[in-house]
Amino acid sequence: MDKLPLLTIITFAPILGMIAISLIPKEKKNAIRWSALLATLPSLLGAVKIFMDFDRTTKAMQFIEGPLNWIPSFNIQYHLGIDGISVTMVILTALISTICIIASWNIEKQLKGYFILFLLLETGMMGTFVAIDFFLFFIFWELMLLPMYFLIGIWGGPRREYAAIKFFLYTMAGSVLILLVMLALYFYSDGHTFNMIALQDQSLHQGPLSSHTFRMALWWGLFIGFAIKVPVFPFHTWLPDAHVEAPTAISVILAGVLLKMGTYGFLRFNYQILPDITVDMIQVIAVLGVINIIYGALCAMAQTDFKKLIAYSSVSHMGFVLLGMASFTSEGLNGAVLQMFNHGTITAQLFLIVGIIYDRAHHRDINGFGGLATTMPRYAVWTTLAFFAAIGLPGLSGFISEVLIFLGSFKTWPWLTTIAVSSVVLTAGYMLWTLQRVYLGKTQEKYKDFPDITRREAFCLLPLAVIVIILGVWPRPILSMMEVSLNALNQSLVPYGAHVASGLGF
Amino acid sequence: MKPDALPLIHTFWPLLLIGVGAFASLITSVWGSVRSFRVTGLLAFGIFLGAAYGFATLDPVAHSLAGGILRADGLGYFLSFLICLIGAVTVVFSFNYWENLSEPVQEVLPLILFAALGMVLMVLTTHLLTLVLALELMSLSLYVLVGSRRADPKSSEAAIKYFLLGSVAAAFLLFGISFLYGATGQMDLSLMGQQALSPDKALLFQVGVLLLLIGFAFKVAAVPFHFWAPDVYEGSPAPVTGFMAAGVKVAAFGAWLRLLHVLVSWEFLELRTLLVILSLLTMFVGNLAALRQRSLKRIMAYSSVAHAGYLLLGLATLVEGAVFLEAGMGVILFYLGTYGLLTLGVFAMLTLFSSKGKEISKLDDLKGLGYTNPVFAAALTVFLISLAGIPPTAGFVAKYFLFARAIETGLIWPAILGILTSAVSLYYYLGPVVQMYFHDPVGEKSMPAATLGMKVLVSFLVLGAFYLGLFPGKYLTWSNGIRLEASRSTPILSGMPQTRP
């Protein structure tokens, strides 16, 4: 290979760190922490390099590695690459992972095991976004499951066992469906391939693969498999449990990265491999998206557990992604992927903020707090910024992606969009209400001597907040990365009935 | 010396080695001291490794010797190779398990050798009577091994149960063979295959094959002939259970492959449908019954039932009309090897946990093990999740290849059902993991020191589980190359690609 295998490095560097950590004696806690941080840096630096070098003028896969034959008798290859759909997710994953290591600094229980599992999780997440081979994708997809299961199950809250198993079984059920579709695509495609790019070529779809019913079955298999991860209503019930029980950093990973894998899967598989069925089923996606938005927001409003509230707000915000994807306009699609990125950065802040207060008060009951803004003024400022970003205040990144989504979806679904837009009021409602209950009002006597946000905690929030502000006024750097790929994706759907691409206006 | 005596020694010296070794070990264990136990153990270990090496390097000639009693082909050699490895691993277990006792049970090691001899014979013969004899040799040795924890009534109960049901199975088998003989007039499978059968023999043939199927279904614990498995697995000493689970499966499926190869040529029976039904029943009952178990050994018993179901599905993929799809054997052989490796891994852990004759198997006993014994707990976790079929471990690729093969040969619904039951299995395989990691340890846990051999062995098994999961390519190519006909076979070692593809 003439060039540096960048994607391999960012994917497998955490594994090296994992091995190194397993050799450190468990008493040396700081050595373990620093090694874990060090192990995420190659990925982060690699992500920065990708951000700089990414060719923003082509829709083709870039930084390609392979294909190397891995299991020749089944035509399985080691094949990595990224395009506009995945590149922002790769950057997000690298960023969130490093931040989460810092956020995990105060973990004391079984420190070594925690960081080993964490790094394994990072490899799984990274690999899922960079794999071009379906089989490889599936391996990485599954690879995430186990560390996540243990991270929730061992380091979680009181009902961690239940939450961990529920998470595992739900996701596993989805994986089984994806596996079946993978097998079907392999056996019925002309030339028997797992190559995701090759499978997009509709002329390879022969035999049963050209029958509408069979394609429909495959589409639903993929859709449900990925919908569980997003999570799309009615498959969302694992999410609040998992979030409430998971330790802070793991919640951040879960909401910040894992949820995006579901929507990434839609775009990569449903949209590109089975475009005709996607167009047929687009109403389903749109309606489910709106249900997610409204239902998530209403549920969030009813919560008294701070973390559960944030979890439901994720359900609501992922609904926007679905609605944007269902618009079949370039604005909508770009808005959807931008929303995936923005939600990753915003919700990560929200969970970190919940974690900060939980570390001090050891409970998360919203009504149990009050007046924290006077005892922890700086903390309140960070919170306000993140909350406003989640509401979609103009000038912050959430606004841009939501507007793009609404611009696109209004063309296709005027009524649904009208309903969805009204949810902005709901979001503002539960967010501001929470702000009021926790940070304003009468100061609670017992929380008087809480220390304000520490430097480490602020350091976790800082990069995310900076990104949120920059993208709020100048979204070009990120939009330009995804634009060409997504417009091409939209263009490829035109023969099946999508809208013709138009400029973004940003 | 008869004319074919020399080739006999030449092509079967590893078999003779095991036989001679078995008798030799009887002599060395006669003293009954700890020291003689060690000597016997080393002897048995050496014999197994030597024989494994022999089977791996011998050139398959694919003709029957001694009137069809023995047949030297790629399949037989490969399975014998597996059995010898399983035997060697079991010897290491036994060291760890019995050596701590003040008075080791001396007959254990010779019995393991005799049982292995029976298993090897089973996969090397095409003669039905030899098959029965080999099966009996294996079974009788196992009955005694199962009952070798004399102080424990559960062990004796298990032995009696196994003996009674095993005898019934043997009776079915013999009865089936007599019908088959009645239909074809032949005892040797290779001669039987050349026979044309007139339709008026169809009934004899059908009854014979059904009885044979039932006999073997008993041995591999296929539903509805699985009722003995949980009790026997629970009652036997951990090393024996591991040996039984892995070894018997290899031997019985080996014999089954050979039988199918010949029996498919007369289309008197819908063998494929029969196998699919048996397989579905087995995987469903095995996986569902395992969900309710609270003892790791019983979970493993039902897991072994479930895996027998998957293997039966594999067998079904080989039958297409009157044609035996030899090329499809590779995935079954790969599955057998993987299953053996992982099952032995789990039982290695159970052997370690059981000290001083006290068997530890209850899930509650595993509480907090992840903190008191992190390394062993991690290893057990690897084996369990691999059995459940989670990538990137060997269990996933084995299942993947098997189900992919099933879909390829048109068994789409059985494959889908199989994959679904496999997802269910995750729940019970995670049960022990939950106990080990999500609960705090209760009371004082004292773990007997593992022998060096045991540590090395466990490391090998763990590495194997990952290695086969990450780089299965060349092993699959290799197992796909194993044939019943010699012209396409090469010795196991030289058949293995040396360079990574």
Side-chain angles (χ1 to χ4, degrees):
Chain A
M1 214 169 288
D2 51 332
K3 276 190 308 182
L4 204 61
L6 197 57
L7 294 183
T8 301
I9 292 174
I10 64 167
T11 308
F12 290 102
I15 293 267
L16 289 182
M18 202 180 115
I19 294 165
I21 288 177
S22 64
L23 299 176
I24 304 175
K26 66 171 170 229
E27 293 77 32
K28 298 193 172 168
K29 295 198 165 177
N30 271 324
I32 293 173
R33 290 184 181 115
W34 283 104
S35 319
L37 183 60
L38 204 65
T40 63
L41 288 185
S43 308
L44 187 62
L45 294 177
V48 171
K49 188 165 163 52
I50 288 172
F51 179 74
M52 314 283 268
D53 292 357
F54 189 81
D55 183 354
R56 289 160 164 79
T57 56
T58 171
K59 65 169 184 134
M61 284 284 171
Q62 305 180 32
F63 300 95
I64 291 179
E65 286 167 35
L68 302 170
N69 277 333
W70 179 25
I71 306 175
S73 41
F74 273 91
N75 201 8
I76 294 168
Q77 295 165 330
Y78 181 78
H79 196 178
L80 305 181
I82 47 176
D83 65 358
I85 303 175
S86 48
V87 63
T88 51
M89 292 298 107
V90 168
I91 294 171
L92 183 69
T93 307
L95 180 70
I96 300 272
S97 298
T98 307
I99 288 174
C100 283
I101 292 278
I102 302 174
S104 308
W105 219 254
N106 57 356
I107 295 268
E108 291 293 335
K109 179 185 178 187
Q110 298 290 322
L111 190 74
K112 198 166 151 180
Y114 179 88
F115 283 117
I116 286 178
L117 289 170
F118 191 101
L119 292 171
L120 186 62
L121 178 67
E122 187 184 354
T123 293
M125 296 189 296
M126 216 42 126
T128 309
F129 289 125
V130 299
I132 296 183
D133 189 274
F134 202 161
F135 192 90
L136 191 62
F137 169 89
F138 187 77
I139 298 277
F140 282 123
W141 175 275
E142 292 283 284
L143 190 64
M144 289 172 330
L145 264 183
L146 224 56
M148 202 62 189
Y149 168 73
F150 284 113
L151 286 167
I152 298 176
I154 300 180
W155 288 273
R159 286 170 72 239
R160 55 186 187 226
E161 193 181 315
Y162 169 77
I165 296 239
K166 192 168 177 181
F167 163 79
F168 202 109
L169 293 181
Y170 263 74
T171 323
M172 196 63 200
S175 304
V176 168
L177 292 173
I178 297 170
L179 176 71
L180 286 171
V181 176
M182 178 171 95
L183 283 169
L185 284 173
Y186 171 78
F187 280 116
Y188 297 127
S189 62
D190 196 21
H192 295 324
T193 179
F194 283 110
N195 188 320
M196 280 144 61
I197 310 298
L199 283 171
Q200 290 172 16
D201 182 356
Q202 299 295 315
S203 63
L204 289 183
H205 295 205
Q206 287 175 350
L209 261 189
S210 52
S211 113
H212 189 265
T213 328
F214 188 71
R215 290 173 75 83
M216 189 67 95
L218 293 189
W219 191 88
W220 276 103
L222 285 173
F223 184 76
I224 296 176
F226 292 125
I228 290 174
K229 202 87 170 185
V230 173
V232 177
F233 177 88
F235 306 108
H236 65 284
T237 57
W238 64 268
L239 182 88
D241 286 310
H243 267 309
V244 168
E245 301 307 324
T248 301
I250 302 310
S251 284
V252 173
I253 287 277
L254 198 56
V257 182
L258 256 64
L259 304 193
K260 277 73 195 171
M261 285 174 182
T263 41
Y264 169 74
F266 289 154
L267 288 175
R268 184 67 85 205
F269 296 95
N270 291 59
Y271 273 61
Q272 302 197 0
I273 297 179
L274 301 165
D276 49 331
I277 311 292
T278 307
V279 174
D280 284 357
M281 287 289 113
I282 200 63
Q283 281 172 329
V284 176
I285 303 182
V287 169
L288 285 176
V290 173
I291 293 179
N292 251 40
I293 295 173
I294 303 290
Y295 178 82
L298 289 176
C299 283
M301 201 171 264
Q303 300 307 319
T304 54
D305 184 323
F306 203 161
K307 212 170 180 187
K308 218 167 191 169
L309 181 139
I310 306 295
Y312 275 112
S313 84
S314 280
V315 175
S316 178
H317 281 121
M318 290 309 283
F320 287 113
V321 179
L322 291 180
L323 185 63
M325 282 164 44
S327 72
F328 280 152
T329 55
S330 54
E331 297 96 317
L333 278 173
N334 279 288
V337 178
L338 187 61
Q339 170 79 353
M340 280 156 67
F341 185 82
N342 287 343
H343 177 251
T345 48
I346 295 170
T347 205
Q349 292 185 64
L350 297 177
F351 277 111
L352 287 169
I353 282 163
V354 177
I356 290 170
I357 192 65
Y358 182 74
D359 283 346
R360 288 165 174 70
H362 301 290
H363 76 85
R364 290 183 301 254
D365 182 13
I366 296 176
N367 296 321
F369 296 111
L372 283 182
T374 48
T375 45
M376 305 167 71
R378 273 177 292 138
Y379 172 58
V381 172
W382 287 107
T383 312
T384 314
L385 178 70
F387 272 35
F388 282 172
I391 294 168
L393 200 74
L396 299 174
S397 64
F399 174 73
I400 309 280
S401 46
E402 282 180 25
V403 164
L404 274 175
I405 288 169
F406 290 144
L407 280 177
S409 67
F410 193 79
K411 288 186 195 165
T412 322
W413 314 103
W415 282 107
L416 283 176
T417 308
T418 314
I419 302 171
V421 170
S422 73
S423 79
V424 171
V425 183
L426 294 180
T427 313
Y430 66 78
M431 279 296 180
L432 293 179
W433 193 27
T434 310
L435 203 62
Q436 184 192 336
R437 282 181 290 175
V438 177
Y439 298 91
L440 308 177
K442 203 165 133 303
T443 312
Q444 294 263 353
E445 205 52 45
K446 54 183 169 179
Y447 301 144
K448 260 240 151 53
D449 47 355
F450 272 4
D452 205 342
I453 188 167
T454 64
R455 219 176 279 165
R456 176 179 65 79
E457 289 160 346
F459 188 71
C460 293
L461 291 169
L462 181 69
L464 298 170
V466 169
I467 290 173
V468 163
I469 295 172
I470 291 180
L471 291 186
V473 287
W474 192 46
R476 245 0 279 168
I478 290 289
L479 267 181
S480 66
M481 294 177 94
M482 60 181 76
E483 199 175 1
V484 178
S485 289
L486 288 172
N487 289 351
L489 172 61
N490 192 51
Q491 196 60 40
S492 73
L493 291 169
V494 169
Y496 306 100
H499 286 278
V500 181
S502 55
L504 290 187
F506 279 100
Chain B
M1 206 179 258
K2 279 163 74 181
D4 62 353
L6 254 184
L8 191 70
I9 292 174
H10 189 69
T11 42
F12 289 105
W13 65 264
L15 178 72
L16 298 176
L17 181 66
I18 302 176
V20 172
F23 283 103
S25 68
L26 270 183
I27 298 169
T28 55
S29 61
V30 133
W31 281 278
S33 64
V34 173
R35 192 164 174 201
S36 81
F37 185 77
R38 280 186 196 154
V39 171
T40 318
L42 281 178
L43 177 73
F45 189 69
I47 285 169
F48 276 129
L49 283 192
Y53 174 78
F55 284 123
T57 46
L58 278 175
D59 208 2
V61 291
H63 62 258
S64 302
L65 290 156
I69 288 174
L70 291 171
R71 186 179 166 86
D73 55 16
L75 177 73
Y77 280 169
F78 175 76
L79 293 172
S80 306
F81 170 69
L82 276 188
I83 291 167
C84 289
L85 289 184
I86 292 170
V89 170
T90 310
V91 171
V92 179
F93 287 3
S94 310
F95 253 95
N96 209 84
Y97 188 85
W98 275 287
E99 220 203 0
N100 297 331
L101 300 181
S102 54
E103 196 189 335
V105 185
Q106 293 290 340
E107 58 275 24
V108 165
L109 292 169
L111 280 170
I112 290 174
L113 277 166
F114 276 114
L117 181 67
M119 291 171 186
V120 170
L121 254 180
M122 252 175 98
V123 298
L124 283 178
T125 186
T126 55
H127 197 278
L128 290 178
L129 274 187
T130 319
L131 180 67
V132 173
L133 284 177
L135 187 108
E136 282 302 286
L137 177 59
M138 170 187 90
S139 306
L140 285 172
S141 314
L142 284 176
Y143 302 147
V144 184
L145 280 170
V146 167
S148 62
R149 287 170 56 227
R150 291 172 211 149
D152 186 353
K154 269 198 167 172
S155 183
S156 317
E157 182 197 330
I160 292 285
K161 241 177 211 168
Y162 195 27
F163 173 67
L164 287 178
L165 287 171
S167 314
V168 174
F172 272 108
L173 210 66
L174 261 178
F175 206 29
I177 287 173
S178 60
F179 271 98
L180 218 54
Y181 178 69
T184 61
Q186 289 293 347
M187 273 293 180
D188 187 357
L189 281 173
S190 45
L191 296 176
M192 203 186 273
Q194 297 155 8
Q195 212 89 357
L197 218 54
S198 63
D200 59 316
K201 299 276 174 57
L203 186 65
L204 282 180
F205 177 84
Q206 285 161 356
V207 174
V209 172
L210 280 179
L211 288 172
L212 263 179
L213 264 183
I214 294 176
F216 276 113
F218 261 112
K219 284 291 158 197
V220 299
V223 175
F225 310 103
H226 67 289
F227 290 102
W228 58 272
D231 290 333
V232 172
Y233 272 54
E234 200 182 19
S236 341
V240 173
T241 322
F243 181 56
M244 199 164 70
V248 175
K249 219 158 239 133
V250 172
F253 274 98
W256 219 332
L257 282 173
R258 253 182 223 297
L259 282 169
L260 266 189
H261 174 56
V262 173
L263 295 181
V264 291
S265 40
W266 306 289
E267 290 183 275
F268 292 142
L269 260 182
E270 270 295 324
L271 269 174
R272 184 177 161 112
T273 321
L274 212 63
L275 285 170
V276 168
I277 292 172
L278 198 60
S279 134
L280 285 178
L281 267 179
T282 308
M283 55 176 92
F284 266 92
V285 172
N287 279 314
L288 294 179
L291 293 176
R292 298 178 55 87
Q293 304 306 320
R294 298 296 300 163
S295 138
L296 185 49
K297 270 186 171 169
R298 290 184 85 89
I299 289 179
M300 287 309 291
Y302 282 111
S303 137
S304 128
V305 173
H307 284 279
Y310 301 135
L311 281 163
L312 283 168
L313 183 63
L315 284 186
T317 64
L318 299 177
V319 186
E320 198 175 83
V323 184
F324 181 79
L325 300 174
E326 222 182 321
M329 283 194 324
V331 294
I332 299 181
L333 299 179
F334 189 89
Y335 199 101
L336 273 174
T338 308
Y339 172 77
L341 179 126
L342 301 174
T343 307
L344 286 174
V346 174
F347 282 100
M349 294 303 136
L350 276 171
T351 306
L352 279 177
F353 301 157
S354 310
S355 62
K356 308 257 184 288
K358 191 170 150 273
E359 290 274 319
I360 302 270
S361 165
K362 290 255 176 313
L363 287 190
D364 291 339
D365 294 335
L366 298 177
K367 274 199 174 118
L369 205 73
Y371 307 110
T372 51
N373 274 79
V375 176
F376 291 152
L380 180 56
T381 308
V382 169
F383 297 131
L384 286 172
I385 60 161
S386 188
L387 276 171
I390 306 263
T393 57
F396 170 71
V397 272
K399 272 187 186 166
Y400 176 82
F401 292 146
L402 191 96
F403 290 128
R405 178 75 194 162
I407 289 180
E408 204 178 359
T409 51
L411 295 171
I412 295 170
W413 281 107
I416 291 178
L417 291 173
I419 292 174
L420 290 178
T421 58
S422 170
V424 170
S425 76
L426 194 67
Y427 185 80
Y428 62 82
Y429 284 122
L430 282 178
V433 178
V434 168
Q435 299 296 328
M436 288 192 298
Y437 287 102
F438 299 178
H439 292 278
D440 291 326
V442 269
E444 198 58 34
K445 281 268 155 50
S446 66
M447 191 64 63
T451 56
L452 178 67
M454 200 68 180
K455 283 180 191 157
V456 172
L457 179 70
V458 169
S459 325
F460 261 110
L461 292 174
V462 169
L463 284 180
F466 279 115
Y467 189 74
L468 281 182
L470 287 170
F471 308 105
K474 61 178 177 180
Y475 294 95
L476 191 72
T477 322
W478 168 43
S479 68
N480 273 335
I482 287 162
R483 289 286 184 277
L484 287 155
E485 321 291 339
S487 52
R488 281 173 282 166
S489 276
T490 40
I492 296 173
L493 278 185
S494 63
M496 234 175 84
Q498 295 302 318
T499 49
R500 198 169 290 172

